[in-house]
Amino acid sequence: MKTYQLLLLSICVLSFSGCGDCFVPTPIVPNEKPIVREATIAVFNSTIDTLNNRTPVPEFNIATFRFPYSSYSSGDLPNNQKFSAGPWTFAEKDYPLTGYTTTYTFNSPPNSLMDGDILVESVTLPPISLEPETRLRFKGDVFPINASLKTDDANIFATYVQNLGKQSNPGSNLAFCAFYDASALTYKQDSTGNNYSIVASNPTGNPKTFIFPSSWPLNIKTLSVLPPFRNVIANDLSNYSVRFNIGDVFYYKAQNGTNFFVLISNIQEGVLAPKVRRVTVKFAEAYKCEECKEN
């Protein structure tokens, strides 16, 4: 088996200048099930009560979920410190309008600025929706699978993951991994706009306020860089999210290069006040498919 893996590595090296697109999977033991873990993530909420000494609202949560590097961990929930005091706000003086201070405010991080892999953008429950649904924001690459696994049983999910590869491409785990990896899209590319605001203010100006883009002066709209940020903080500041229901399964390529199958096992509202809404996922490595990378 080691000879087989070395042969695959050699093919990677000969076929590509680097091996970033080539997989060297760990051999599969047919009766060995993957290790299933679980994570629960609350809806991202950076709201501050401005009428009550700028204290966080009861539903305040600035954590996202980050997938682990190995099966020895169930991942972690990093806080985005930019939002620790509420919406992330920063200002620029005399830019791009002389005499005005431009204030930039983000209520939540766009995909490109997320610290973790998954941010819960929203949870919608009946009767507003027919069944519980959520919108998730991703930092890595995601591919929704056309399946619904209505279970919270770790053993059933492990068997499902085990069988998925066999059904997708029997006898060729390399092709199986490559197929899902090629199908996955960064952020899923399903834009939901943005949730930042840009306001330029001058107490003695005429007018005193410009709001981008609705009332932005036409001559400034001709700037080569729009939106009007002095520094490029990310190449893409739009928000992209994917809608899921309970039982949905997706393939995900995490920021750390590890590939997972993920099950939406629960979408719920808390029992105790303030009844925070949360999403629970079960996940397991996609047959521990490893993407070889240059050192």
Side-chain angles (χ1 to χ4, degrees), residues 164-187:
L164 191 58
K166 300 174 186 177
Q167 296 170 359
S168 298
N169 204 324
S172 178
N173 190 49
L174 184 66
F176 155 69
C177 294
F179 167 77
Y180 281 102
D181 191 69
S183 302
L185 296 177
T186 301
Y187 313 153

Side-chain angles (χ1 to χ4, degrees), residues 48-64:
I48 293 292
D49 186 348
T50 57
L51 299 178
N52 187 22
N53 200 28
R54 292 194 58 80
T55 56
V57 296
E59 301 86 355
F60 188 85
N61 171 59
I62 57 172
T64 54

Side-chain angles (χ1 to χ4, degrees), residues 28-183:
I28 301 169
V29 179
N31 296 321
E32 181 180 333
K33 291 183 179 179
I35 299 174
V36 174
R37 283 92 83 203
E38 183 175 292
T40 297
I41 322 154
V43 173
F44 192 95
N45 190 333
S46 66
T47 307
I48 293 292
D49 186 348
T50 57
L51 299 178
N52 187 22
N53 200 28
R54 292 194 58 80
T55 56
V57 296
E59 301 86 355
F60 188 85
N61 171 59
I62 57 172
T64 54
F65 174 69
R66 181 162 54 205
F67 283 97
Y69 284 92
S70 75
S71 59
Y72 292 100
S73 171
S74 293
D76 63 327
L77 297 165
N79 286 330
N80 193 316
Q81 290 303 117
K82 293 184 180 69
F83 298 86
S84 59
W88 177 34
T89 300
F90 57 96
E92 298 280 7
K93 291 185 177 181
D94 294 321
Y95 182 88
L97 302 170
T98 302
Y100 285 76
T101 296
T102 302
T103 302
Y104 306 82
T105 303
F106 287 80
N107 292 313
S108 65
N111 302 64
S112 58
L113 296 179
M114 285 169 49
D115 287 340
D117 286 289
I118 298 178
L119 178 151
V120 179
E121 187 175 273
S122 66
V123 164
T124 306
L125 303 174
I128 296 177
S129 56
L130 294 177
E131 59 180 307
E133 64 178 47
T134 182
R135 276 200 167 271
L136 303 182
R137 201 177 297 175
F138 296 95
K139 182 66 178 284
D141 299 349
V142 62
F143 175 64
I145 298 172
N146 186 22
S148 183
L149 195 63
K150 298 291 188 181
T151 184
D152 199 16
D153 188 316
N155 289 322
I156 292 177
F157 180 57
T159 301
Y160 173 82
V161 170
Q162 194 175 31
N163 292 333
L164 191 58
K166 300 174 186 177
Q167 296 170 359
S168 298
N169 204 324
S172 178
N173 190 49
L174 184 66
F176 155 69
C177 294
F179 167 77
Y180 281 102
D181 191 69
S183 302

